[in-house]
Amino acid sequence: MSDWLHNLPVPLMAMAIFAFTYLLAIIIFAAVSALARGERAKSLQAISPGMLPVLGILFGLFVAFTAAQVWSDSDRANAAVSREASALRAVMLLAAGLPSEQESRLRDLIRGYIEQAATVEWPMMARQTASLKAAPIALAEALQFVVSIAPQNPGQQSAQREIISALGSALDARRQRIIVSQAEVNSVKWWSLYLQAVCELLVIAVVHCGNRLASGIAMGLFATGVATSVLLIAAHDRPFTGQISIGPEPLLQVMPGK
């Protein structure tokens, strides 16, 4: 699936997918109708209708396997963002155990990191251009700052240790969400899915070539099911792309105020 399709609003994406699928069905219907004449019609009608459920089951398995990948990627992306937000929230709560100047400095760094993630990283993830090569400057500075703090009592020492652990969890969660942002259903799976659908449409047209009305209705119903399945998968294919995508709201909710 191309980038422009994933970035379309869901109604326009639905129109594009349904139009393409119906066009395939119309082409197959017209081709079979043109060929099913005279002796060739008898030969085509000799094809066993028993192929229909077999091909339908295979198409259903293709859809199930593809959808399983999409749901797994979406769950992983949601979990990574939630874990990152929880870790940053823990940092803010633990920072209260530090001296006021150090707490203020840490809050500023966390706020800068979240602003950077929401305004820069999220659009990059939507375009699948986010990379792990560059470390988040604000979060790295926050980790270095906390490590350099000299605790004045056991309470600050415990807070420092827990803050370092929470910052490490936030960094790991960020890595996970950037990795998941690269996930998508590859072109081989899309072509295989549509090829299986074409085979089913072709068999429907051949089996019902003696009755064009029945053939058109059956192909239209199956094409609708194919388009619906493809729409459902395509709309959720890339976790951070499109109208139905995971946003930075969990991070923005835990962002400390100025």
Side-chain angles (χ1 to χ4, degrees):
M1 288 289 179
S2 60
D3 292 337
W4 72 268
L5 182 63
H6 282 98
N7 285 288
L8 287 176
V10 173
L12 293 180
M13 181 186 292
M15 290 177 61
I17 292 174
F18 273 80
F20 176 72
T21 307
Y22 286 145
L23 178 61
L24 281 179
I26 291 171
I27 291 173
I28 294 171
F29 177 81
V32 173
S33 297
L35 292 173
R37 299 181 185 277
E39 292 299 324
R40 283 180 298 187
K42 295 180 181 180
S43 299
L44 292 176
Q45 290 174 350
I47 295 177
S48 173
M51 293 184 64
L52 291 173
V54 175
L55 292 174
I57 291 172
L58 288 175
F59 177 78
L61 290 174
F62 276 40
V63 170
F65 291 146
T66 306
Q69 174 194 332
V70 172
W71 306 151
S72 176
D73 291 339
S74 180
D75 290 342
R76 288 168 55 204
N78 273 306
V81 175
S82 297
R83 189 157 63 91
E84 186 177 8
S86 297
L88 295 176
R89 179 59 178 168
V91 171
M92 291 297 91
L93 294 175
L94 292 166
L98 301 176
S100 58
E101 292 184 359
Q102 296 174 345
E103 178 187 2
S104 177
R105 171 61 176 162
L106 187 57
R107 290 172 65 89
D108 290 341
L109 290 171
I110 297 300
R111 183 173 60 253
Y113 166 72
I114 294 177
E115 289 176 348
Q116 177 79 6
T119 59
V120 178
E121 286 189 351
W122 241 263
M124 292 177 65
M125 290 193 299
R127 298 190 300 269
Q128 294 190 313
T129 57
S131 173
L132 293 174
K133 293 181 179 179
I137 297 176
L139 203 59
E141 288 184 2
L143 186 58
Q144 294 169 0
F145 172 73
V146 175
V147 170
S148 66
I149 293 176
Q152 299 177 0
N153 54 59
Q156 291 184 9
Q157 186 176 8
S158 298
Q160 181 189 39
R161 183 171 58 253
E162 294 300 325
I163 290 174
I164 292 173
S165 176
L167 288 174
S169 296
L171 283 168
D172 181 65
R174 174 186 176 270
R175 284 192 294 269
Q176 291 299 318
R177 67 170 163 83
I178 290 180
I179 291 172
V180 177
S181 72
Q182 306 292 330
E184 64 176 337
V185 177
N186 61 51
S187 59
V188 175
K189 292 181 180 179
W190 283 120
W191 282 110
S192 299
L193 187 65
Y194 260 107
L195 181 59
Q196 187 64 35
V198 167
C199 291
E200 178 74 4
L201 288 169
L202 184 59
V203 173
I204 293 173
V206 169
V207 169
H208 296 90
C209 63
N211 188 330
R212 293 188 178 184
L213 179 59
S215 177
I217 293 174
M219 292 181 69
L221 290 174
F222 184 75
T224 301
V226 171
T228 303
S229 302
V230 172
L231 173 63
L232 185 63
I233 295 172
H236 297 84
D237 182 15
R238 299 179 183 178
F240 297 97
T241 304
Q243 183 177 354
I244 304 176
S245 61
I246 300 170
E249 288 76 16
L251 297 183
L252 296 176
Q253 290 175 7
V254 301
M255 184 170 66
K258 294 184 179 181

